[in-house]
Amino acid sequence: LADRGGITVIGITGSYGKTTSKFILKRILSEKFNVVATPQSFNTPMGVVRTVRNDLKPQTQIFICEMGAKKIGDIKEICDIVHPDLGIITSVGPQHLDTFRSVDNVFKTKFELADAVRQKNGEVFINGSSPGISERADKTGGCRIFGMSPSCEFYAENIRAGRFGSEFDLVLSGERIAVSTRLLGEHAVCDIVGAAAVAFSLGVSPEQIAFAISQLKPAEHRLELKNGPRGSLLIDDAYNSNPEGCIGAVEVLGSFGGMRKVIITPGLIELGEKEYECNYNLGLAAAKVCDTVILVGKNRSAPLREAVESTDFN
């Protein structure tokens, strides 16, 4: 990377949303630049190094690097390899608590990206809609905020969803554009806002951004809408493994009017002492919108069942 020079490196991290944000950002930036991104969920030092060694070409202008972590120092280790010029922190929440031990440790680790970007006087784009993240950004300073509220510099509003996907107004530093996408869910819209914010700051035009968003395809198994027999629909969210995203997926399911709604889930794992609470909340959400709940695995799904049975679910 040092020998190449002239490549803008963008780091993306977060408890969830980083892979989706990476694919969205690559598609939007590709309207103007030659872009390489770490593939699939390659977000470890080995995956990042493999991408740099194998995929960067002489014409590469931007390298998007997804950064995963399971303990304090993991993000810094990757930053010490790629030295990011810009950063996106998609969210912070109770993920991998069996190794992080506390949500505060998750915050510290994700903001290792912000520390590295500031060393190069770059900009960090922060999801202001993720609980607790704005307060941390205020303390560290130098962050640009995106989210789902007009209080953010970059935000979305007037969101509509259905079989067609989603439509909404995208506001970028005061400039408003109407966009449509096949992606579903508020989390996906927020990921689009974050990626559009970075692209806008790098000189991609609003027209190019809107076109790229219209061409986005859902990542595999992440709120992927599929047609089934006799007019049925499958929302494939099988890759999802975080509390906020799962509740969001249930809300998307509930937004489809006039259809019988079925959920099939084994619940969430790797949440340490929060696992019971998060699965119980998922069960409560499912009971509100679903006609049928199918739980996979008798023991692990126990909190889901207890939650559903605590309501007047038939």
Side-chain angles (χ1 to χ4, degrees), residues 3 5 12 14 19 62-63 66 95 122 125 136 158 180 185 189 201 223 228 246-247 282 285:
D3 288 344
I12 299 180
T19 303
I62 294 179
F63 172 44
E66 180 181 343
Q95 191 83 329
F125 293 77
R136 175 99 32 178
N158 302 323
S180 62
V189 172
S201 74
L223 284 176
C246 285
I247 298 295
L282 178 59

Side-chain angles (χ1 to χ4, degrees), residues 58-297:
Q59 63 268 30
T60 301
Q61 296 169 289
I62 294 179
F63 172 44
I64 304 172
C65 179
E66 180 181 343
M67 302 178 177
K70 287 194 174 183
K71 63 182 187 301
I72 291 176
D74 282 355
I75 300 301
K76 183 180 184 302
E77 181 179 0
I78 299 175
C79 289
D80 288 345
I81 296 171
V82 301
H83 303 289
D85 302 284
L86 297 169
I88 304 177
I89 301 179
T90 61
S91 59
V92 179
Q95 191 83 329
H96 300 306
L97 290 184
D98 51 339
T99 51
F100 275 120
R101 302 301 179 192
S102 73
V103 175
D104 188 58
N105 284 338
V106 181
F107 269 104
K108 290 176 182 176
T109 304
K110 300 307 179 184
F111 272 80
E112 290 169 1
L113 173 59
D115 296 337
V117 170
R118 274 193 291 272
Q119 290 178 8
K120 298 188 72 174
N121 296 317
E123 293 182 318
V124 184
F125 293 77
I126 303 291
N127 178 6
S129 297
S130 181
I133 204 169
S134 293
E135 293 84 349
R136 175 99 32 178
D138 290 340
K139 293 176 183 177
T140 55
C143 298
R144 302 183 74 176
I145 310 297
F146 67 90
M148 307 300 287
S149 165
S151 63
C152 303
E153 181 182 358
F154 311 93
Y155 63 94
E157 63 181 6
N158 302 323
I159 302 169
R160 302 166 297 282
R163 283 177 175 265
F164 57 86
S166 305
E167 296 175 344
F168 58 95
D169 292 334
L170 177 62
V171 182
L172 303 170
S173 297
E175 186 157 354
R176 180 182 298 267
I177 52 176
V179 298
S180 62
T181 176
R182 280 178 282 177
L183 273 56
L184 286 168
E186 188 171 295
H187 282 80
V189 172
C190 193
D191 291 338
I192 290 173
V193 175
V198 174
F200 187 72
S201 74
L202 289 173
V204 183
S205 72
E207 294 76 19
Q208 290 172 317
I209 290 171
F211 175 75
I213 291 172
S214 73
Q215 300 301 301
L216 291 171
K217 298 177 181 179
E220 280 191 323
H221 315 304
R222 292 176 173 85
L223 284 176
E224 188 178 5
L225 192 61
K226 302 176 180 179
N227 292 317
R230 288 177 286 192
S232 64
L233 295 172
L234 171 67
I235 302 174
D236 177 0
D237 203 43
Y239 190 84
N240 202 341
S241 61
N242 72 82
E244 283 187 38
C246 285
I247 298 295
V250 173
E251 291 172 351
V252 169
L253 180 63
S255 70
F256 284 78
M259 303 182 77
R260 183 174 178 83
K261 301 174 183 67
V262 181
I263 187 171
I264 305 173
T265 179
L268 295 151
I269 63 170
E270 291 188 352
L271 295 177
E273 62 183 21
K274 293 274 188 181
E275 188 167 300
Y276 181 93
E277 176 189 345
C278 291
N279 279 307
Y280 192 90
N281 290 337
L282 178 59
L284 291 177
K288 287 182 180 178
V289 305
C290 298
D291 300 291
T292 301
V293 176
I294 300 175
L295 302 178
V296 180

